[in-house]
Short mmCIF file of all heavy atoms in Angstrom, two decimals:
data_model
loop_
_atom_site.label_atom_id
_atom_site.label_comp_id
_atom_site.label_asym_id
_atom_site.label_seq_id
_atom_site.Cartn_x
_atom_site.Cartn_y
_atom_site.Cartn_z
N MET I 125 -33.82 -23.36 -9.47
CA MET I 125 -32.71 -23.71 -8.61
C MET I 125 -33.24 -24.12 -7.24
O MET I 125 -34.10 -23.45 -6.68
CB MET I 125 -31.76 -22.52 -8.49
CG MET I 125 -30.40 -22.85 -7.94
SD MET I 125 -29.18 -21.58 -8.35
CE MET I 125 -30.00 -20.10 -7.78
N GLU I 126 -32.73 -25.21 -6.70
CA GLU I 126 -33.18 -25.69 -5.40
C GLU I 126 -32.66 -24.76 -4.31
O GLU I 126 -31.50 -24.35 -4.31
CB GLU I 126 -32.68 -27.11 -5.15
CG GLU I 126 -33.32 -28.14 -6.08
CD GLU I 126 -32.92 -29.55 -5.71
OE1 GLU I 126 -32.28 -29.73 -4.64
OE2 GLU I 126 -33.24 -30.48 -6.48
N PRO I 128 -32.18 -24.49 -0.22
CA PRO I 128 -32.19 -25.28 1.02
C PRO I 128 -32.95 -24.58 2.14
O PRO I 128 -33.13 -23.35 2.12
CB PRO I 128 -30.71 -25.42 1.36
CG PRO I 128 -30.08 -24.22 0.76
CD PRO I 128 -30.85 -23.93 -0.50
N SER I 143 -31.47 -22.17 -13.13
CA SER I 143 -30.12 -22.66 -13.37
C SER I 143 -29.98 -23.22 -14.79
O SER I 143 -30.76 -24.08 -15.20
CB SER I 143 -29.77 -23.76 -12.36
OG SER I 143 -28.54 -24.37 -12.69
N SER I 145 -26.59 -24.07 -15.52
CA SER I 145 -25.64 -25.02 -14.97
C SER I 145 -25.14 -24.48 -13.64
O SER I 145 -24.91 -23.28 -13.49
CB SER I 145 -24.45 -25.23 -15.91
OG SER I 145 -23.75 -24.02 -16.11
N GLY I 146 -25.02 -25.34 -12.64
CA GLY I 146 -24.56 -24.92 -11.33
C GLY I 146 -25.57 -24.06 -10.61
O GLY I 146 -26.76 -24.01 -10.96
N GLY I 147 -25.11 -23.36 -9.57
CA GLY I 147 -26.01 -22.51 -8.80
C GLY I 147 -25.46 -22.19 -7.44
O GLY I 147 -24.33 -22.55 -7.09
N ILE I 148 -26.28 -21.53 -6.63
CA ILE I 148 -25.81 -20.98 -5.36
C ILE I 148 -25.25 -22.06 -4.44
O ILE I 148 -24.26 -21.85 -3.75
CB ILE I 148 -26.97 -20.23 -4.67
CG1 ILE I 148 -27.33 -18.98 -5.48
CG2 ILE I 148 -26.58 -19.82 -3.25
CD1 ILE I 148 -28.49 -18.21 -4.93
N PHE I 149 -25.84 -23.23 -4.41
CA PHE I 149 -25.42 -24.25 -3.47
C PHE I 149 -24.77 -25.44 -4.16
O PHE I 149 -24.70 -26.53 -3.60
CB PHE I 149 -26.61 -24.67 -2.60
CG PHE I 149 -27.20 -23.49 -1.87
CD1 PHE I 149 -28.35 -22.88 -2.32
CD2 PHE I 149 -26.56 -22.96 -0.77
CE1 PHE I 149 -28.89 -21.79 -1.67
CE2 PHE I 149 -27.08 -21.85 -0.11
CZ PHE I 149 -28.24 -21.27 -0.55
N THR I 150 -24.26 -25.21 -5.38
CA THR I 150 -23.46 -26.19 -6.10
C THR I 150 -22.09 -25.56 -6.33
O THR I 150 -21.97 -24.65 -7.15
CB THR I 150 -24.11 -26.55 -7.45
OG1 THR I 150 -25.44 -27.04 -7.22
CG2 THR I 150 -23.29 -27.60 -8.17
N PRO I 151 -21.05 -25.99 -5.63
CA PRO I 151 -19.75 -25.31 -5.72
C PRO I 151 -19.20 -25.29 -7.15
O PRO I 151 -19.28 -26.28 -7.88
CB PRO I 151 -18.86 -26.14 -4.80
CG PRO I 151 -19.80 -26.82 -3.85
CD PRO I 151 -21.03 -27.09 -4.65
N GLY I 152 -18.66 -24.14 -7.55
CA GLY I 152 -18.00 -24.04 -8.85
C GLY I 152 -18.69 -23.07 -9.79
O GLY I 152 -19.64 -22.38 -9.43
N ASP I 153 -18.18 -23.04 -11.03
CA ASP I 153 -18.71 -22.14 -12.05
C ASP I 153 -20.21 -22.36 -12.25
O ASP I 153 -20.72 -23.47 -12.06
CB ASP I 153 -17.99 -22.35 -13.38
CG ASP I 153 -16.49 -22.07 -13.29
OD1 ASP I 153 -16.06 -21.55 -12.25
OD2 ASP I 153 -15.78 -22.38 -14.25
N ALA I 154 -20.90 -21.29 -12.64
CA ALA I 154 -22.35 -21.39 -12.78
C ALA I 154 -22.86 -20.45 -13.86
O ALA I 154 -22.26 -19.40 -14.12
CB ALA I 154 -23.04 -21.07 -11.46
N GLY I 185 -21.93 -15.46 -5.20
CA GLY I 185 -22.70 -16.48 -4.51
C GLY I 185 -23.02 -17.68 -5.37
O GLY I 185 -22.86 -18.83 -4.96
N VAL I 186 -23.44 -17.42 -6.61
CA VAL I 186 -23.83 -18.55 -7.47
C VAL I 186 -22.63 -19.38 -7.89
O VAL I 186 -22.76 -20.56 -8.20
CB VAL I 186 -24.62 -18.07 -8.72
CG1 VAL I 186 -25.89 -17.36 -8.31
CG2 VAL I 186 -23.76 -17.20 -9.63
N SER I 187 -21.42 -18.78 -7.89
CA SER I 187 -20.22 -19.52 -8.29
C SER I 187 -19.30 -19.81 -7.10
O SER I 187 -18.12 -20.13 -7.28
CB SER I 187 -19.45 -18.74 -9.35
OG SER I 187 -18.99 -17.50 -8.85
N SER I 188 -19.84 -19.72 -5.90
CA SER I 188 -19.03 -19.93 -4.70
C SER I 188 -18.41 -21.32 -4.67
O SER I 188 -19.02 -22.30 -5.12
CB SER I 188 -19.88 -19.73 -3.44
OG SER I 188 -19.12 -19.97 -2.28
N ARG I 189 -17.20 -21.41 -4.12
CA ARG I 189 -16.51 -22.69 -3.99
C ARG I 189 -16.48 -23.17 -2.54
O ARG I 189 -15.80 -24.15 -2.23
CB ARG I 189 -15.09 -22.59 -4.54
CG ARG I 189 -15.06 -22.31 -6.04
CD ARG I 189 -13.68 -22.38 -6.63
NE ARG I 189 -13.77 -22.22 -8.08
CZ ARG I 189 -14.04 -23.21 -8.92
NH1 ARG I 189 -14.24 -24.44 -8.46
NH2 ARG I 189 -14.12 -22.99 -10.22
N VAL I 190 -17.20 -22.47 -1.65
CA VAL I 190 -17.20 -22.85 -0.24
C VAL I 190 -18.63 -22.97 0.27
O VAL I 190 -19.56 -22.40 -0.29
CB VAL I 190 -16.42 -21.82 0.62
CG1 VAL I 190 -14.97 -21.75 0.18
CG2 VAL I 190 -17.08 -20.45 0.54
#
Side-chain angles (χ1 to χ4, degrees):
M125 196 160 52
E126 293 186 8
S143 172
S145 61
I148 293 177
F149 302 102
T150 303
D153 299 351
V186 299
S187 63
S188 178
R189 296 187 175 276
V190 299

